[in-house]
Amino acid sequence: MQPSPSPQLLPGSAKDIDERPPAQPETSLMPDLTPPSAPVASRCYSHGKQETDEEFDARWVTYFNKPDIDAWELKKGMNTLIGYDLVPEPKILDAALRACRRLNDLASAIRILEAVKDKAGPHKEIYPYVIQELRPTLSELGISTPEELGMDKA
């Protein structure tokens, strides 16, 4: 003999309400004082080869020396480079300034110099050194420093 099929119930019908499990007894208002499980200590090691300073510089010089670099790539590269915890080497900045010249983008060239001054922060000897190293390039490309333009007095 087969069991008879149970009638279809709509949610919330009287029969459905009667068949619900009884309510749980009231719980204590005391907080649960069991200590949480301790986090598992793990270390993430880089399995890749560590890049040397020379390789880092060469990678960025190559990036900015691309003959078909566009304005977006220039700005993206500079934003990434400025995001690092370092002041870019003059040879990297030389390549970036030459990319600005190829794009005829004087505003980006000035922003690069401003960003370098900002990155130098309290180390007042870094920015003059960078400008000294870049002076031949700045003269060749016809780029004035923010100080020469009077932008440091604002």
Side-chain angles (χ1 to χ4, degrees):
M1 202 163 141
Q2 292 193 355
S4 64
S6 61
Q8 293 291 332
L9 298 176
L10 297 173
S13 67
K15 178 98 171 131
D16 186 37
I17 293 172
D18 292 339
E19 292 180 2
R20 289 188 183 156
Q24 296 292 328
E26 245 184 77
T27 59
S28 169
L29 297 177
M30 295 293 296
D32 183 16
L33 299 177
T34 57
S37 60
V40 176
S42 66
R43 295 182 184 201
C44 298
Y45 292 105
S46 173
H47 296 291
K49 179 179 168 250
Q50 197 70 328
E51 186 176 48
T52 66
D53 290 343
E54 292 76 25
E55 291 170 335
F56 177 85
D57 294 348
R59 179 168 54 96
W60 282 104
V61 168
T62 302
Y63 179 85
F64 289 119
N65 281 339
K66 290 191 305 188
D68 60 340
I69 193 169
D70 63 11
W72 186 89
E73 289 176 316
L74 173 69
K75 291 173 185 170
K76 171 70 173 133
M78 280 311 300
N79 281 334
T80 302
L81 188 59
I82 293 300
Y84 293 135
D85 187 22
L86 55 82
V87 176
E89 286 289 325
K91 60 185 168 186
I92 298 173
L93 297 171
D94 180 275
L97 291 171
R98 290 181 187 280
C100 290
R101 189 65 182 134
R102 285 193 307 277
L103 294 169
N104 200 24
D105 190 354
L106 178 63
S108 290
I110 302 299
R111 283 192 188 110
I112 288 170
L113 296 175
E114 288 176 322
V116 170
K117 186 173 185 178
D118 185 54
K119 284 296 286 188
H123 306 287
K124 300 298 181 199
E125 68 279 358
I126 294 176
Y127 182 69
Y129 165 75
V130 170
I131 294 298
Q132 171 193 327
E133 294 295 311
L134 290 175
R135 183 57 64 194
T137 303
L138 294 172
S139 297
E140 176 189 339
L141 300 177
I143 298 172
S144 300
T145 65
E147 294 76 25
E148 293 168 346
L149 295 171
M151 296 172 68
D152 61 333
K153 294 176 179 59

